[in-house]
Amino acid sequence: MKKTYAILGAGNGGQAIAGYISSLGYRVRLYDPMTEVVNKLNERGSIKLTGIYDSENKIELVSTDLKKVVKGADIVMVVNPSIYHRDMAINCAPFIEENQFIFLHPGGTFGAFAFKKGLEDGGCKFDVPIAESNTLIYACRAVEAGIVNVAGKKDRLLVATFPAANNEMVCNSLKEIYEEIEPASNVLVTSFDNTNPIFHPAPTLLSTSWVESDKDFLYYYEGISNSIGQFIIEMDKERIEVGKALGLEYGTDLISSFDQYELEYNCKGDNIMEVVRNVGAYEGIKGPNSLKTRYLYEDIPMGLVAIASLGDALGINVERIKLIISLGEKLLNEDFYTNSRNLKNLGLENMSSEEIFNFAITGQK
Amino acid sequence: MKKTYAILGAGNGGQAIAGYISSLGYRVRLYDPMTEVVNKLNERGSIKLTGIYDSENKIELVSTDLKKVVKGADIVMVVNPSIYHRDMAINCAPFIEENQFIFLHPGGTFGAFAFKKGLEDGGCKFDVPIAESNTLIYACRAVEAGIVNVAGKKDRLLVATFPAANNEMVCNSLKEIYEEIEPASNVLVTSFDNTNPIFHPAPTLLSTSWVESDKDFLYYYEGISNSIGQFIIEMDKERIEVGKALGLEYGTDLISSFDQYELEYNCKGDNIMEVVRNVGAYEGIKGPNSLKTRYLYEDIPMGLVAIASLGDALGINVERIKLIISLGEKLLNEDFYTNSRNLKNLGLENMSSEEIFNFAITGQK
């Protein structure tokens, strides 16, 4: 019998994925906490994909009832901004079953650890594998509820599983739907491959007046100016040092943003401002119109705080990363630590780098 | 016999002041370290004032020789960005004479303390009074060397003298040339009246991408956006708290930026963004085109560092001010502490707030 997928989150990505997996003949259930979205999807009765796909796809169940969606599914795929992962884990915890696995698509920075801790805190009885990808496979946008334009699909999706011993099973299963999946050795690799925390908060904050003006600006072409580019490359070095301190091998499992741009976009340059200006896909992307943006509200607490907390615990200099966290907190009047991916919420308190690395591999503390 | 003025600094302000004082019939000597400027002024042979003035004025001596300019003068008026005050003091020290007084026009933040310490470090034998104003009296620009357009003159020039007992003598003397002078009770008052450190560095840094783009922006109208305005008002509160901790009376000798705008420009508003947008004089002022601007290179080391160093020493929360200093240092790859108005260079190390207040009044530690 074909597997059953529970997709948690009916945003752009969740709808696209639900439609696509259904088109392959799998059984799909879709959860969202927002009644309005769920009602609209149920009224429509199916999800239409356009763009690189062209199909109309039945979804077995669209519901605000997490229990009905999760129980009995084979794979629980979480397609949510990382700020919701912890609450989602706590809410899922009672319904997770022994033979399921979870796939955070994407995981953000240390998503698997955060989800694991959330399941524990929610009283989950089973030690299910938790996989995470480095990014969302699609560039997509729901034109209206149930009609999703999928503009593009990435060539490569890094996936690692916590604990790592389950990765082959998980990746083999997920490759049935996405052959683009490339197994990574552990969840530290996928986490450190997410450079959004480097490329989003600092340029946004250092463009505050432009963001809040009535004038548009090009996020990558103008927002990453010369000094900002130099600054974020120094932040990137702090990210790299934390990754190295955790045992990742530089050059393979952990690469610089320069190397990432060369690998993913075949773009090089003398400095990062030049590099991003060579990325065709960035050409028309505008900066946010408000500081209330996931570039800050997701990438600071879920990304920078995670890296900074680990950096501090391991004695790595993360002064620029911490500076940007503080600037965000003070400028937005927010506390970005308490409910964030701090060491407590990641379940990594009082652990050495070796213990964290082993935890990523074995799941055992 | 008419007094002799030594004007140190032949920039826009120095040339305007030298020309004006000469026009009143005083003997004027003008010093500048730049040979090119001095040669041009000597070639021209006089300083022409336009705008609110219309006169052609002989200068007794224009020279790069500090000794020749300073010795025998009655009043030594320093018309320089505050970053040069310390070096100027050290260089002047051997030539200062017993009956002179010094007038820093303007003093920046704690200019008199910085100059006093510079004179000491330069081996000055005399304890001459050091006055400072809160601002430069003119809005002026040298069209070319020796021709200065004076567009406007302020209605009020706060002047305080270190030590305060000399203030009446100094102000009476300076009022011969500027009747706009209003004596302030001590140099802490004039120092804290300088809000450039609040209004320049944060908006500039938080506009980095715009500063470095090829697009102009309006410094006050666009650069002080809603969030930036709220942030600098919190910085302003830190400034106020340091001033209060030093013994300044809030509401009279120490006022908020809101009250300052109401007093000086008759502009009010619900928030500081609204207030500055009501200031007619700000209307066309554009933001800098580069981070190499005195908004950062003067106002951080000479202003914010002075306030933060004192705040830290007195146990006042100056976290936002320190955040902006750090951001400036990291973004510009500069050390803004070592050669700045830190406690050492201000001669205020290991002093309590009472001792600093008494020092400002009496000149005695």
Side-chain angles (χ1 to χ4, degrees):
Chain A
M1 194 174 127
K2 282 276 193 181
K3 288 169 186 157
T4 299
Y5 278 83
I7 313 289
L8 309 189
N12 299 312
Q15 289 186 37
I17 290 163
Y20 169 72
I21 295 176
S22 166
S23 78
L24 300 180
Y26 293 92
R27 300 172 65 185
V28 175
R29 306 172 189 166
L30 182 56
Y31 163 83
D32 200 271
M34 291 174 70
T35 310
E36 197 189 330
V37 173
V38 167
N39 287 347
K40 281 191 181 168
L41 288 170
N42 279 321
E43 276 166 35
R44 224 192 159 276
S46 65
I47 290 175
K48 183 180 171 64
L49 299 183
T50 63
I52 61 168
Y53 301 121
D54 178 15
S55 59
E56 187 81 49
N57 312 287
K58 287 277 173 204
I59 308 298
E60 191 177 274
L61 173 69
V62 184
S63 176
T64 57
D65 187 334
L66 199 52
K67 182 178 177 180
K68 285 188 187 160
V69 172
V70 167
K71 287 197 95 165
D74 298 291
I75 293 150
V76 178
M77 196 189 305
V78 181
V79 190
N80 260 316
S82 56
I83 52 169
Y84 301 119
H85 283 171
R86 179 173 161 76
D87 282 350
M88 186 66 92
I90 292 172
N91 294 339
C92 276
F95 316 127
I96 293 295
E97 295 170 344
E98 194 165 8
N99 294 316
Q100 294 176 330
F101 72 82
I102 292 159
F103 175 38
L104 307 176
H105 182 188
T109 308
F110 309 117
F113 291 155
F115 212 87
K116 168 74 176 170
K117 185 64 166 51
L119 288 179
E120 273 176 22
D121 292 348
C124 182
K125 295 189 200 92
F126 306 109
D127 221 11
V128 298
I130 304 170
E132 63 175 40
S133 67
N134 60 334
T135 182
L136 182 73
I137 195 158
Y138 293 130
C140 60
R141 173 103 17 217
V143 185
E144 59 182 82
I147 304 181
V148 190
N149 180 56
V150 182
K153 195 180 185 187
K154 287 169 189 149
D155 290 341
R156 185 189 79 143
L157 192 69
L158 278 186
V159 173
T161 307
F162 173 79
N166 295 101
N167 204 35
E168 198 179 338
M169 177 275 286
V170 165
C171 286
N172 285 342
S173 174
L174 293 174
K175 273 183 180 172
E176 292 176 16
I177 53 167
Y178 291 121
E179 62 183 14
E180 295 83 358
I181 283 173
E182 187 178 310
S185 46
N186 60 70
V187 291
L188 298 176
V189 175
T190 42
S191 285
F192 276 90
D193 197 68
N194 172 29
T195 55
N196 285 346
I198 304 299
F199 281 81
H200 289 163
T204 301
L205 292 172
L206 297 172
S207 302
T208 293
S209 59
W210 221 345
V211 168
E212 294 193 326
S213 77
D214 55 10
K215 290 171 185 158
D216 284 338
F217 70 103
L218 296 171
Y219 186 73
Y220 289 96
Y221 280 40
E222 297 180 310
I224 298 179
S225 67
N226 185 44
S227 299
I228 295 173
Q230 288 179 39
F231 182 86
I232 65 180
I233 284 307
E234 294 301 317
M235 282 179 74
D236 200 51
K237 288 179 187 164
E238 295 179 3
R239 172 185 71 90
I240 299 278
E241 290 306 313
V242 177
K244 279 159 75 173
L246 280 171
L248 294 182
E249 197 169 330
Y250 182 68
T252 53
D253 282 347
L254 177 69
I255 61 175
S256 72
S257 290
F258 281 110
D259 289 344
Q260 207 184 41
Y261 274 103
E262 191 175 343
L263 188 71
E264 296 186 356
Y265 294 100
N266 199 27
C267 287
K268 300 185 195 184
D270 283 342
N271 57 60
I272 205 71
M273 180 179 78
E274 247 183 63
V275 172
V276 298
R277 288 183 181 186
N278 288 331
V279 178
Y282 284 171
E283 201 166 356
I285 296 181
K286 288 178 183 169
N289 292 317
S290 156
L291 294 184
K292 296 250 175 222
T293 163
R294 67 183 169 86
Y295 282 12
L296 301 175
Y297 280 84
E298 179 172 10
D299 291 318
I300 294 177
M302 301 294 123
L304 292 184
V305 167
I307 300 171
S309 302
L310 271 169
D312 271 344
L314 302 176
I316 306 299
N317 174 12
V318 283
E319 58 184 351
R320 284 177 184 77
I321 291 178
K322 289 199 288 184
L323 185 61
I324 292 300
I325 297 168
S326 296
L327 184 63
E329 291 197 320
K330 292 287 174 285
L331 205 57
L332 301 161
N333 286 312
E334 296 284 349
D335 167 6
F336 281 136
Y337 273 93
T338 308
N339 296 310
S340 69
R341 290 197 173 161
N342 54 35
L343 293 186
K344 181 166 163 281
N345 285 339
L346 291 171
L348 302 177
E349 279 178 305
N350 305 316
M351 290 174 75
S352 70
S353 62
E354 291 77 13
E355 287 168 336
I356 293 171
F357 189 83
N358 284 332
F359 181 54
I361 303 293
T362 65
Q364 302 301 314
K365 286 195 185 181
Chain B
M1 195 174 128
K2 282 275 191 178
K3 287 170 187 158
T4 298
Y5 278 83
I7 313 289
L8 309 188
N12 299 312
Q15 288 186 38
I17 289 164
Y20 170 71
I21 295 177
S22 166
S23 79
L24 300 180
Y26 293 91
R27 299 172 66 185
V28 175
R29 305 173 190 168
L30 182 56
Y31 163 83
D32 201 88
M34 291 175 70
T35 309
E36 198 189 330
V37 173
V38 167
N39 286 348
K40 280 190 181 168
L41 287 170
N42 278 322
E43 275 166 36
R44 226 192 156 275
S46 64
I47 290 176
K48 182 179 171 64
L49 299 184
T50 63
I52 60 169
Y53 300 121
D54 178 13
S55 59
E56 187 80 49
N57 313 286
K58 287 276 171 204
I59 307 299
E60 191 177 274
L61 172 70
V62 184
S63 175
T64 58
D65 186 334
L66 197 53
K67 182 177 178 180
K68 284 188 186 160
V69 172
V70 167
K71 287 198 95 162
D74 298 290
I75 294 151
V76 177
M77 196 187 307
V78 180
V79 190
N80 260 317
S82 56
I83 52 169
Y84 301 120
H85 283 172
R86 180 173 161 75
D87 283 348
M88 185 66 91
I90 292 172
N91 294 338
C92 276
F95 316 126
I96 293 295
E97 295 170 346
E98 194 162 9
N99 293 318
Q100 294 177 329
F101 72 82
I102 291 160
F103 175 38
L104 307 175
H105 182 190
T109 309
F110 307 118
F113 292 156
F115 212 87
K116 166 76 176 169
K117 186 62 167 50
L119 288 179
E120 272 176 22
D121 292 347
C124 182
K125 295 189 200 91
F126 306 110
D127 220 11
V128 297
I130 304 170
E132 63 174 41
S133 67
N134 61 334
T135 182
L136 183 71
I137 195 159
Y138 293 129
C140 59
R141 174 110 8 226
V143 185
E144 60 181 81
I147 304 181
V148 190
N149 181 55
V150 182
K153 195 179 185 187
K154 287 172 190 147
D155 291 341
R156 185 188 78 142
L157 192 70
L158 277 186
V159 173
T161 305
F162 172 80
N166 295 100
N167 205 34
E168 197 180 338
M169 177 276 285
V170 165
C171 286
N172 284 343
S173 173
L174 292 174
K175 272 182 179 174
E176 292 175 17
I177 54 167
Y178 291 121
E179 61 182 15
E180 295 82 358
I181 283 173
E182 187 178 308
S185 46
N186 61 69
V187 291
L188 298 176
V189 176
T190 42
S191 286
F192 276 89
D193 197 69
N194 172 29
T195 56
N196 285 346
I198 304 300
F199 280 81
H200 289 162
T204 302
L205 292 172
L206 296 171
S207 302
T208 293
S209 60
W210 221 345
V211 168
E212 294 193 326
S213 77
D214 55 12
K215 290 169 185 160
D216 283 339
F217 70 104
L218 296 171
Y219 185 74
Y220 289 95
Y221 279 39
E222 297 179 310
I224 298 180
S225 68
N226 185 43
S227 299
I228 294 173
Q230 289 178 38
F231 182 86
I232 64 179
I233 284 307
E234 294 302 317
M235 282 180 73
D236 199 51
K237 289 178 186 163
E238 295 178 4
R239 173 184 71 90
I240 299 278
E241 290 306 313
V242 177
K244 280 159 75 173
L246 280 172
L248 294 183
E249 197 168 330
Y250 182 68
T252 52
D253 282 346
L254 176 70
I255 62 175
S256 72
S257 290
F258 282 110
D259 290 344
Q260 206 183 44
Y261 274 104
E262 192 176 342
L263 188 72
E264 295 186 357
Y265 294 101
N266 198 27
C267 286
K268 300 184 195 184
D270 284 343
N271 57 59
I272 206 71
M273 181 179 75
E274 248 182 61
V275 172
V276 297
R277 286 183 181 186
N278 287 331
V279 178
Y282 285 172
E283 202 165 356
I285 296 181
K286 288 178 182 168
N289 293 317
S290 156
L291 295 184
K292 297 248 173 223
T293 162
R294 67 184 170 87
Y295 282 11
L296 302 174
Y297 280 83
E298 179 172 9
D299 290 318
I300 294 177
M302 300 294 123
L304 293 184
V305 167
I307 300 170
S309 302
L310 270 169
D312 271 344
L314 303 176
I316 306 300
N317 174 10
V318 284
E319 57 184 351
R320 285 176 183 78
I321 291 178
K322 289 198 287 184
L323 185 60
I324 292 301
I325 297 168
S326 295
L327 184 62
E329 290 196 320
K330 292 287 174 285
L331 205 58
L332 301 162
N333 287 313
E334 295 285 349
D335 167 5
F336 280 137
Y337 273 95
T338 308
N339 296 311
S340 69
R341 290 196 173 162
N342 55 34
L343 294 187
K344 182 167 162 279
N345 286 339
L346 291 171
L348 302 176
E349 279 179 306
N350 305 316
M351 289 174 77
S352 70
S353 62
E354 290 78 12
E355 287 168 337
I356 293 170
F357 190 84
N358 283 333
F359 181 53
I361 303 292
T362 64
Q364 303 300 314
K365 289 198 183 179

